[in-house]
Amino acid sequence: MRKIPEPGPTLLSRKYSVTMNRKSLSPPREVILRNVVNKDALLCSLSERIDKEVIEKAGPKLKVISTLSTGYDHIDVKEAKKRGIHVTFTGEVLSEATADLTFALILAISRKVVLADNYIRQKKWKVGWSPDLFLGSNVYGKTLGLIGAGRIGRAVARRAKGFDMNVIYHNRRRLETKLEQEIGAKYVELDTLLRESDYLSIHANLNAESTDMMNESKLKRMKNTAFLINTSRGQVIDERSLVKALRKKWIAGAALDVFESEPLETNSPLIKMENLVLLPHIGSATYQVRSKMSEIAAQNIIELLSGRKTPFMVR
Ligand code: DGY
């Protein structure tokens, strides 16, 4: 495993002999392939692709693959299951923190927070208050469209109440009426969501259906004053289409915490665009959440290697 926040490493080292990359960087692929051989458990993160090759290399002793993440699209779950290997995740501990960051992005893109901050740092603020300096868009009273109404989507909807937003959502399965009422969100077809949202925020899992879901045709259906927010997985948006949409002003801007390829290529056209806020995948990055994720990821291994159960199994 790579170096992760405490208490996971200590919990594991007390019981087992642990091979850990001392740096918090992902180990190179060849190091993973070398070190996974004959291990009973593998603790990984979403930056490491745990595919058939890694699983095969580990050999028959491998019983658990525990990821320090809620998403597990980087693991070949089918291959693991075929070999009787348990795959675990960190559950929903990051939902509220990710919803907080979604709102940070909504506010940052609508009110040009990052551009305005840079303006002062670059010593460009020469006159005081000015009537047309960094004019942005209202958040209060606007329509927020959610693609995905799992825990994170619902946590975002609850925050939107405080901004008196009109919340609409689209999900594979419609929520129960009671839950809809509790979060104050109305179910609509995807096409309506695209057409009516002032802020469209994605909270979908990555799978075959959601990959490249936000393509040219969908971006074209959005309002040209709308903002696209993504804190889920980068592959849900076709980035080439997004660049086109931003250049051609089909939409007003986007705020992204996740990208098709991470880290974002330094020559990505996104970096030069002004109507964007870019964050380096920090949705769950609070001390409290990362420490809880570390504890759960380690505990998942301990429970399963001890023949007990954990509620955080990937089914
Ligand atoms: C996850 O856990 O899936 C997030 O993307 C990173 O914490």
Side-chain angles (χ1 to χ4, degrees):
M1 68 189 219
R2 73 199 280 182
K3 186 169 173 263
I4 60 167
E6 287 293 348
T10 301
L11 290 174
L12 290 170
S13 319
R14 269 193 213 138
K15 282 185 84 79
Y16 313 110
S17 144
V18 176
T19 307
M20 181 170 83
N21 194 359
R22 295 284 147 197
K23 298 185 194 123
S24 67
L25 294 175
S26 249
R29 176 90 178 163
E30 63 273 15
V31 173
I32 298 178
L33 290 172
R34 198 169 56 236
N35 284 335
V36 76
V37 178
N38 270 332
K39 297 291 189 291
D40 296 289
L42 171 65
L43 198 156
C44 61
S45 74
L46 55 89
S47 331
E48 293 104 39
R49 196 163 35 86
I50 309 302
D51 53 12
K52 188 172 175 193
E53 191 188 12
V54 175
I55 296 172
E56 251 167 15
K57 266 275 181 231
K61 277 183 82 184
L62 190 67
K63 291 175 203 67
V64 187
I65 300 171
S66 167
T67 181
L68 181 83
S69 59
T70 290
Y72 42 83
D73 44 274
H74 53 295
I75 302 172
D76 188 340
V77 175
K78 217 165 133 199
E79 186 61 35
K81 287 206 171 154
K82 214 168 78 188
R83 293 163 189 259
I85 300 165
H86 300 298
V87 181
T88 64
F89 68 131
T90 53
E92 312 281 359
V93 281
L94 49 61
S95 306
E96 300 297 335
T98 307
D100 285 347
L101 192 90
T102 303
F103 250 88
L105 285 174
I106 291 174
L107 293 166
I109 190 68
S110 62
R111 298 302 303 274
K112 307 190 174 169
V113 171
V114 180
L115 290 177
D117 177 275
N118 279 333
Y119 179 78
I120 296 187
R121 292 176 197 276
Q122 290 162 6
K123 303 190 172 36
K124 289 183 181 162
W125 194 23
K126 302 281 192 245
V127 286
W129 184 86
S130 150
D132 55 359
L133 187 61
F134 288 111
L135 298 186
S137 304
N138 281 351
V139 172
Y140 176 84
K142 293 284 184 174
T143 295
L144 171 66
L146 303 171
I147 297 188
R151 278 193 196 240
I152 302 175
R154 301 202 299 270
V156 172
R158 288 202 312 273
R159 282 158 180 74
K161 277 188 194 178
F163 286 80
D164 232 349
M165 296 183 92
N166 165 37
V167 184
I168 53 180
Y169 78 95
H170 183 78
N171 200 37
R172 269 193 295 189
R173 256 176 302 133
R174 187 174 171 169
L175 299 174
E176 285 173 18
T177 316
K178 197 167 156 251
L179 200 48
E180 282 184 352
Q181 283 165 354
E182 193 185 301
I183 62 168
K186 184 177 142 213
Y187 178 84
V188 293
E189 289 305 325
L190 184 57
D191 202 48
T192 311
L193 189 105
L194 293 168
R195 277 188 287 102
E196 293 187 0
S197 299
D198 297 305
Y199 297 90
L200 197 162
S201 189
I202 307 178
H203 303 286
N205 293 332
L206 182 66
N207 50 42
E209 206 186 317
S210 63
T211 300
D212 287 339
M213 169 179 61
M214 288 308 291
N215 54 18
E216 227 179 280
S217 121
K218 297 218 180 59
L219 288 161
K220 267 187 181 156
R221 277 180 266 163
M222 290 175 67
K223 288 183 187 178
N224 60 10
T225 50
F227 296 98
L228 179 65
I229 324 293
N230 191 12
T231 52
S232 62
R233 285 289 182 266
Q235 294 88 337
V236 168
I237 299 178
D238 173 23
E239 259 168 37
R240 280 164 67 105
S241 303
L242 176 63
V243 168
K244 197 164 170 187
L246 291 166
R247 283 198 178 130
K248 293 190 178 278
K249 303 209 183 312
W250 297 340
I251 63 173
L256 311 171
D257 181 44
V258 286
F259 302 90
E260 271 179 0
S261 157
E262 295 178 5
L264 183 61
E265 305 280 343
T266 47
N267 62 356
S268 164
L270 295 174
I271 290 179
K272 292 221 170 102
M273 296 182 148
E274 282 217 332
N275 46 352
L276 267 177
V277 172
L278 308 173
L279 297 181
H281 204 147
I282 56 168
S284 65
T286 68
Y287 290 111
Q288 297 81 0
V289 170
R290 286 288 163 82
S291 144
K292 195 68 199 161
M293 287 169 77
S294 165
E295 183 189 326
I296 294 174
Q299 210 55 46
N300 284 342
I301 291 178
I302 295 169
E303 297 305 315
L304 290 167
L305 290 188
S306 313
R308 294 187 293 267
K309 289 190 178 145
T310 161
F312 302 109
M313 301 285 290
V314 174
R315 306 263 170 217

